[in-house]
Amino acid sequence: MKYSDYKKLLKNHHLRITDCRIDVLEKFHSTDHALSFKDLEDELSDYDRVTLYRTLNSFIDQGLLHRIPNDSGMAAYGLCREDCTEEEHHHDHVHFKCNLCGHVECLPNYHTPVIDLPNYDIEESYLILNGVCKNCKEELQPVS
Amino acid sequence: MKYSDYKKLLKNHHLRITDCRIDVLEKFHSTDHALSFKDLEDELSDYDRVTLYRTLNSFIDQGLLHRIPNDSGMAAYGLCREDCTEEEHHHDHVHFKCNLCGHVECLPNYHTPVIDLPNYDIEESYLILNGVCKNCKEELQPVS
DNA sequence: ATATTTATGCAACTTAATTGCATTCTGCTT
DNA sequence: AAGCAGAATGCAATTAAGTTGCATAAATAT
Ligand SMILES: [Mn+2]
Ligand SMILES: [Mn+2]
Ligand SMILES: [Zn+2]
Ligand SMILES: [Zn+2]
């Protein structure tokens, strides 16, 4: 994706075009896994921490990112590839966290199961898988 | 459950018997939902916060409690009713969090789905449902 | 070009959780 | 029952994630 595409993306989500937002967007679009705040802070150290936090929050508000909670408490953030908007996010995909490399991945092709709980109203469901990712598995047992 | 039962429980899990541990254990056994650190702090305010934190952590280490992560970052803790030990926890039940009262419940009768991801090793899975719990639903629409 | 609105950086603050250490308590041995 | 070693507790201090207020800078609207 190129600069003008990021500008369009920001405009479509009612966000002003700024250097920080472009750079953050670029980071997310040039990786295959979700990013944590720390990932961003490390790679975009010329921006203030507060600005990065506010950037993440405005992206979530406007439907560009979704927050992926995990056991450790330090959330990861994943790109919304579905058409999420300011009004609402709609995610029903599964997430995977690798116990070796720590990467969190969105699995858009796997949907969270629909479970019926008698006498309860279910509004959302989060399914998070843990284990060893493809990359780490290959490193452990290289293809023969 | 009575005092001597709690003592046995602690002994079985290789934990010394102390007032704090008995009281914490009692709290968990006399409620139907998971408890947060704050819940404990509010109800057991004669113990130092640090002691409560350490109690929770030792209970998790020894297989008496499991940590239930959630979106907000403030974890809930649920009783291990299966036979978890110092060596390993084994939980495959679903969790529910009510968006109205905030309570987190363990659903031991509902198991997390088994999902096969080609080229990945899945070791654990967490399924968390969100919505309105039975109690809150009844309060909204009393039975006619 | 100018005005209006929004974003940024910095410092200070909040909140959750952890660590070090002196003191007290528990379980075990005499 | 007394004494001991290891473990738990309380308190103060610290770490770490995240937020808030405000002056300044930048982006969009007119
Ligand atoms: Mn995702
Ligand atoms: Mn549970
Ligand atoms: Zn991995
Ligand atoms: Zn409820």
Side-chain angles (χ1 to χ4, degrees), chain A residues 96 99 105 107 110 115 117-134 137, chain B residues 96 99 105 107 110 115 117-134 137:
Chain A
F96 175 86
N99 290 329
E105 296 177 42
L107 304 172
Y110 292 83
I115 290 196
L117 273 187
N119 302 316
Y120 286 65
D121 284 343
I122 308 294
E123 290 164 6
E124 311 155 280
S125 64
Y126 300 96
L127 177 59
I128 296 156
L129 306 177
N130 266 263
V132 182
C133 77
K134 195 163 63 170
K137 231 181 127 177
Chain B
F96 176 86
N99 290 329
E105 295 176 43
L107 304 172
Y110 291 83
I115 290 196
L117 274 186
N119 302 315
Y120 285 66
D121 283 343
I122 308 294
E123 290 165 6
E124 312 155 280
S125 62
Y126 300 96
L127 176 58
I128 296 156
L129 307 177
N130 266 263
V132 181
C133 77
K134 194 164 64 170
K137 231 180 128 177

Side-chain angles (χ1 to χ4, degrees), chain B residues 81-138:
Chain B
R81 304 193 185 265
E82 303 89 356
D83 51 338
C84 298
T85 68
E86 178 174 10
E87 279 77 37
E88 67 175 321
H89 282 266
H90 30 79
H91 293 281
D92 61 345
H93 61 262
V94 176
H95 291 104
F96 176 86
K97 176 169 177 199
C98 178
N99 290 329
L100 296 184
C101 65
H103 287 177
V104 175
E105 295 176 43
C106 296
L107 304 172
N109 297 323
Y110 291 83
H111 294 254
T112 56
V114 177
I115 290 196
D116 177 58
L117 274 186
N119 302 315
Y120 285 66
D121 283 343
I122 308 294
E123 290 165 6
E124 312 155 280
S125 62
Y126 300 96
L127 176 58
I128 296 156
L129 307 177
N130 266 263
V132 181
C133 77
K134 194 164 64 170
N135 289 344
C136 288
K137 231 180 128 177
E138 280 176 9

Side-chain angles (χ1 to χ4, degrees), chain B residues 26-38:
Chain B
E26 206 269 334
K27 285 288 167 211
F28 277 98
H29 279 274
S30 52
T31 182
D32 60 342
H33 59 268
L35 298 175
S36 67
F37 171 78
K38 200 163 181 328

Side-chain angles (χ1 to χ4, degrees), chain A residues 19-30:
Chain A
D19 292 355
C20 181
R21 285 172 179 171
I22 297 281
D23 286 344
V24 169
L25 218 39
E26 206 270 334
K27 285 288 166 213
F28 276 98
H29 275 90
S30 51

Side-chain angles (χ1 to χ4, degrees), chain A residues 34 66 68 78-79 82 91 93-95 105-107:
Chain A
H66 58 287
I68 309 163
L79 270 179
E82 304 90 356
H91 294 281
H93 62 263
V94 176
H95 291 104
E105 296 177 42
C106 296
L107 304 172

